[in-house]
Amino acid sequence: MNRHLFLIAIPLLLFVQSTNAQAPATSVFYTTNGAEKQWITYKDNHRALYRIITDEAFKLLEERSEGISRLKTEADWNNHRQKVKAALCNSLAKFEKTPLNAKTTGTLERETFTVEKILFESHPGFYVTAGLFLPKERQKPAPAVIYACGHSDLGFRVEVYQHVIQNLVKKGFVVLAFDPIGQGERLQYPEPETGKSKIGGPTGEHSYAGIQTLLTGTSLTDYFIWDGVRLLDYLETRPEVDMKRIGITGRSGGGTQTAQISASDERIFAAAPECYITNFTRLLQSIGPQDAEQNPFNAIANGFDHPDYLHIHAPKPSLIITTTHDFFSIQGARETFAEVQRSYAACGQPGNIQMTEDFGVHESTKNNRETLYAFFQKHLDLPGDPTDVETTPFPAEDLWVSPTGQIGTSYDCKTVFDLNQKYFPGKEVPENGLPKKVAQTAGITFDRNLTAAVYTGKFSADGMEVKKYFLENNRKDFALPVYVIQKEKSTTGNVVAWFYPEGKEKLLNEPLLQEILNAGHTVVCADLPGTGELHDPSFSGDGVIKGVPFNYTFGAHLVGKSIPGIQAEAIGLLNQFIQNEKQFQQVEKCALVQGTSASAFLHFAVLNSSFGKAAFIDFPGAAFNLVTNEFYNPAEAFDVVPGSLLYYDLPDLTEYLSASGIKIYLHKETDKIQKVTEFMAN
């Protein structure tokens, strides 16, 4: 998707209108006074998952702000700079600089400049496609600008990007424009017949590949930054380029790359990210976490925010380019600029940080372009006229570097999927024991105490009596909806906590439920965050793959948490409810876990041995399969903890529980009703 064309299509995640999809009679959040009245406090219960993530983010970001306020001297800022650069760049150590094997596959001629079509390998067999624009009249050597394009199917060939590139070339700059991963000629999942992506547009390509990298404990950010490092290595091979005068710019996703690459490689002297810089607080208050490469691993948890890209680059020249109505919040950009002015001033270079803003949406404006040209002319020592002039774009196909317009169909090449397996170090046994590593990796903290189980009525269905509750907790961030289901006029047998991935209301149609109730058991089922009445059907973003909202995953991992970890914490509340209810005091407590709910339950159970037995139906299997299968099931990946495969997989958790004395039954037989019922009874 070319983002600057689709501003209207991207919703504000915190302010969308949403209706509860569950009928009032079966919803736990409706009163029972004869009218369909919803509890005022919980009208927005469907936003629970996002609120849990953002509450944690805002707490961490406030702690960061308090630390930033104490930085005064240049030494203070240098210490901060080293810390945040380590958070961004330490994970690049897994890569090594291998031969670029660069070659020129063709040349285009214009009256005042030439274009060389460049192909090189940023990793062995992992190709980067680029265009080197060389002005015929230039300094020798000349300053160069790397141009990083935004989220576009055509890569740097889009007319608005070509316009900026050609303006820079006309002003005497060498420009190296390239295709980011998943864009232009670098699709990771190409369809040979159509030349299109099997997954979707650029953000789909990024997010689908990015989930696999998260599972192995790294972010797609690393691969984007490393491409930038190797672009600089390539420029060093060109005698036309003065490596002491290197700039970088790009808009939208290109602004992301500009910020990340300039913070990671000191060879960049002047950086001008456009329509990207804001801060995480304003981002999470508006459009939410973006696609995979925009989220360095555990960034917020590691004390990192957007200003840190610029703090790291300081005191070298930086220009923040913004528009007033961009979906990247202008308020966040202004706040970042104010913060970064402090570090530049402490370093004695207050004039090296600039910000320009113009009236507009997510777009390039004439005023901003001319400010950009003047910025590079000044700081890369190439004086001239900054006027934005008309240009004539090349047809996109003229700028193809590969024979077919796709490296995946032109060459035998590697993808992020291949590299992720190559650089995955493998699983190691946790030094301090599995439970501690599970809690740390999944971000689980059982710090919510049940404060009230609010009874909101009951209803009957197919001979069942269903009592409705919502569980409040001391943090007051969400209420957990719960059903207590019994056969009408029955006595309590065992209590079965049933974890059903589609939510408690859907469970009522499950044939096995009647058999469990007929055996005299009581079933307790909760909607974990993200499911049932805690599911937001209006939530959207650029990381939604086949209906699975990975933007939640990206947001959770930014703050050092995970979706299974958040749901495990909710299970902790449900467990407190079961433990406190008088009718369950003298009975065995069992768990019946279905499908992808296995991950949340296992993460809870490894840390809390409240359930004496657990039966699993449709167990999802090893999460490592999601890394070794190029085309994986997004629904299964949503329930895996980022970084967990470095230490454990789901089968490791079941083995741990079995060794701890918990009875485990993994259903494999065809007659699940009989087998599971027998397991619960014995």
Side-chain angles (χ1 to χ4, degrees), residues 6-154:
F6 290 96
L7 172 65
I8 297 175
I10 300 180
L12 299 181
L13 296 183
L14 283 182
F15 303 107
V16 293
Q17 295 297 314
S18 176
T19 57
N20 195 303
Q22 192 156 326
T26 59
S27 167
V28 305
F29 292 106
Y30 280 85
T31 60
T32 56
N33 61 357
E36 295 179 0
K37 299 291 185 181
Q38 192 174 26
W39 286 78
I40 295 174
T41 305
Y42 300 110
K43 280 184 179 294
D44 64 345
N45 56 82
H46 55 285
R47 295 184 181 135
L49 180 55
Y50 194 72
R51 184 164 54 250
I52 292 166
I53 293 168
T54 55
D55 282 357
E56 183 69 19
F58 297 151
K59 181 189 73 173
L60 292 168
L61 290 166
E62 181 61 31
E63 291 173 359
R64 178 192 175 277
S65 293
E66 291 174 1
I68 289 292
S69 69
R70 294 191 290 270
L71 303 180
K72 306 296 182 184
T73 67
E74 183 176 5
D76 291 340
W77 283 106
N78 284 338
N79 289 335
H80 176 75
R81 187 177 297 115
Q82 292 174 9
K83 174 186 172 184
V84 291
K85 186 169 184 178
L88 178 66
C89 298
N90 277 0
S91 57
L92 298 175
K94 59 182 171 291
F95 301 145
E96 61 177 321
K97 291 191 176 184
T98 51
L100 292 170
N101 297 324
K103 63 181 179 180
T104 301
T105 66
T107 303
L108 300 174
E109 289 281 345
R110 284 276 175 91
E111 182 179 351
T112 60
F113 66 91
T114 61
V115 184
E116 294 184 15
K117 303 178 185 181
I118 305 300
L119 185 74
F120 69 84
E121 300 172 40
S122 59
H123 306 263
F126 190 69
Y127 293 106
V128 177
T129 47
L132 184 67
F133 293 73
L134 292 161
K136 292 181 178 179
E137 295 291 332
R138 62 178 184 269
Q139 294 179 348
K140 298 182 180 179
V145 175
I146 294 173
Y147 191 84
C149 69
H151 290 71
S152 60
D153 292 329
L154 295 175

Side-chain angles (χ1 to χ4, degrees), residues 356-527:
T356 181
E357 63 179 67
D358 196 14
F359 184 83
V361 291
H362 192 66
E363 62 181 325
S364 173
T365 69
K366 184 174 185 291
N367 178 69
N368 281 349
R369 290 195 297 273
E370 291 182 344
T371 304
L372 170 70
Y373 307 147
F375 170 77
F376 282 140
Q377 287 170 329
K378 174 184 177 180
H379 291 290
L380 299 184
D381 194 18
L382 187 62
D385 183 358
T387 302
D388 187 68
V389 300
E390 292 185 4
T391 60
T392 303
F394 290 97
E397 58 270 18
D398 287 1
L399 290 167
W400 294 134
V401 175
S402 62
T404 65
Q406 278 300 324
I407 57 171
T409 55
S410 295
Y411 311 108
D412 180 16
C413 60
K414 303 293 184 183
T415 64
V416 172
F417 166 73
D418 300 313
L419 297 181
N420 187 46
Q421 294 179 77
K422 173 183 177 181
Y423 294 117
F424 176 51
K427 187 169 61 177
E428 62 180 58
V429 178
E431 292 183 2
N432 297 316
L434 184 61
K436 184 174 182 179
K437 185 58 68 175
V438 164
Q440 179 186 37
T441 307
I444 300 172
T445 54
F446 292 123
D447 58 355
R448 289 181 185 84
N449 296 319
L450 178 65
T451 56
V454 180
Y455 176 69
T456 62
K458 64 182 179 180
F459 64 92
S460 297
D462 297 328
M464 298 179 289
E465 180 182 82
V466 183
K467 296 178 182 177
K468 304 185 297 180
Y469 298 84
F470 60 77
L471 310 184
E472 295 180 322
N473 71 84
N474 58 312
R475 289 178 58 175
K476 300 180 181 180
D477 49 356
F478 75 102
L480 187 69
V482 174
Y483 280 172
V484 176
I485 311 170
Q486 291 177 303
K487 201 73 174 175
E488 291 181 337
K489 300 179 181 179
S490 70
T491 57
T492 302
N494 294 337
V495 59
V496 178
W498 197 324
F499 300 98
Y500 200 72
E502 297 180 69
K504 64 187 184 330
E505 187 180 31
K506 298 286 187 181
L507 174 62
L508 299 178
N509 299 319
E510 169 63 51
L512 179 57
L513 175 61
Q514 289 287 354
E515 297 301 321
I516 296 293
L517 297 176
N518 288 339
H521 304 308
T522 297
V523 170
V524 179
C525 185
D527 288 333

Side-chain angles (χ1 to χ4, degrees), residues 442-445 561-570 600 603 641:
I444 300 172
T445 54
K561 298 187 77 68
S562 63
I563 305 305
I566 290 170
Q567 293 180 340
E569 292 174 349
H603 281 83
V641 172

